[in-house]
Amino acid sequence: MRSFYSLFRIKSNEPAIRAALKAGHAFVAHDWMCDPTGFRFGASDSRGKQVAIMGDEVKLADGLILKAKLPLPAYVRLLRHGKEVAKSEGKADFAFAVKEGGAYRLEAWLKLDGELRPWLFANPIYVR
């Protein structure tokens, strides 16, 4: 298992990595299952402008959408305060219209040897 961090930064020096981790801009993936390069999880406003990424806090507003982009189709679960609120199977893109505040965390699972196995765990986006 390997942690991926500093997703939205070009710099990969130690201060940049520490800042990204402190801000929660990170996810964990079992890269032996599949390379997670290209994974994204963020929030967009009603105009489609990105307003948050993993670890960020965003204000609840009409048209707020959580979006994920995966490098391949997967079984995706979106959790709010630890309870599943949405899921998708066999797609590489995921979107969820947010209607209430909370801590939203995304998981992606892959089917290996006929069973679903956890692959990727994203830090939450906090909707207030």
Side-chain angles (χ1 to χ4, degrees):
M1 185 166 66
R2 177 170 55 168
S3 296
F4 289 82
Y5 46 80
S6 196
L7 298 173
F8 303 96
R9 300 171 190 254
I10 294 172
K11 298 177 186 175
S12 61
N13 58 46
E14 185 176 339
I17 292 169
R18 287 182 182 273
L21 290 173
K22 185 175 181 179
H25 298 168
F27 65 97
V28 176
H30 295 283
D31 61 338
W32 63 268
M33 294 171 69
C34 181
D35 181 0
T37 300
F39 170 71
R40 299 285 185 265
F41 178 47
S44 298
D45 65 14
S46 60
R47 297 180 314 271
K49 179 183 174 200
Q50 184 170 303
V51 293
I53 60 173
M54 292 172 283
D56 288 345
E57 185 174 308
V58 63
K59 184 177 179 181
L60 178 62
D62 288 340
L64 184 67
I65 297 179
L66 297 178
K67 295 180 180 181
K69 174 80 172 156
L70 297 121
L72 77 162
Y75 178 84
V76 175
R77 297 179 66 217
L78 182 68
L79 300 119
R80 178 184 172 270
H81 300 306
K83 297 197 189 291
E84 186 178 281
V85 294
K87 62 184 174 182
S88 174
E89 189 167 358
K91 296 179 182 173
D93 295 304
F94 176 85
F96 176 79
V98 180
K99 301 296 182 198
E100 59 185 328
Y104 290 87
R105 188 174 62 77
L106 188 115
E107 297 178 356
W109 297 58
L110 296 176
K111 192 171 269 191
L112 295 176
D113 296 327
E115 69 180 77
L116 286 173
R117 296 179 190 224
W119 167 46
L120 186 147
F121 300 91
N123 271 350
I125 294 173
Y126 303 95
V127 179
R128 308 285 185 214

